[in-house]
Amino acid sequence: MADELMLSVEDAIEDSGLDIDYESAGGVLTLTVEAENSKVIISRQPAMLQIWLAARSGGFYLNYHDQTWRCATTAETFETLLNRVCREQGAGEQRIFDHSNS
């Protein structure tokens, strides 16, 4: 499930047209928001059954429950959290995951 999530992030970035580069290696997906050259790090934590997301605003731990990755501290879904931290780091108002057109 974590691998599928990582691939969905890559696909969503490609589809969004945002100026965000990404690099995947060893279970870690590094996003670079080009406007401010800031990083968002997403990593699989198989032993903990979690996804970890690191951003300027802090570190977030996500658990998989009811077919959704959800942040343990903010209760945001993964998509909502990623959209928010990327916006805060200079990606603008456009979203990586935009479900309004689906």
Side-chain angles (χ1 to χ4, degrees), residues 8-97:
S8 75
V9 171
E10 293 176 14
D11 290 343
I13 289 170
E14 291 292 328
D15 293 344
S16 74
L18 289 169
D19 197 10
I20 297 175
D21 290 332
Y22 61 87
E23 180 179 328
S24 182
V28 176
L29 182 61
T30 303
L31 310 182
T32 303
V33 180
E34 292 297 325
E36 295 184 19
N37 195 32
S38 63
K39 308 268 189 224
V40 175
I41 312 293
I42 305 164
S43 63
R44 295 180 294 137
Q45 300 298 320
M48 304 291 293
L49 302 175
Q50 292 179 323
I51 296 287
W52 292 359
L53 187 149
R56 281 186 189 160
S57 56
F60 303 93
Y61 307 98
L62 296 103
N63 299 301
Y64 192 76
H65 182 69
D66 291 335
Q67 300 182 346
T68 303
W69 288 99
R70 193 166 292 277
C71 181
T73 54
T74 68
E76 292 170 288
T77 65
F78 174 82
E79 291 90 349
T80 300
L81 176 63
L82 184 60
N83 283 335
R84 177 174 62 84
V85 300
C86 287
R87 182 181 67 248
E88 292 170 350
Q89 291 185 212
E93 293 301 316
Q94 186 179 350
R95 297 180 172 111
I96 293 173
F97 289 98

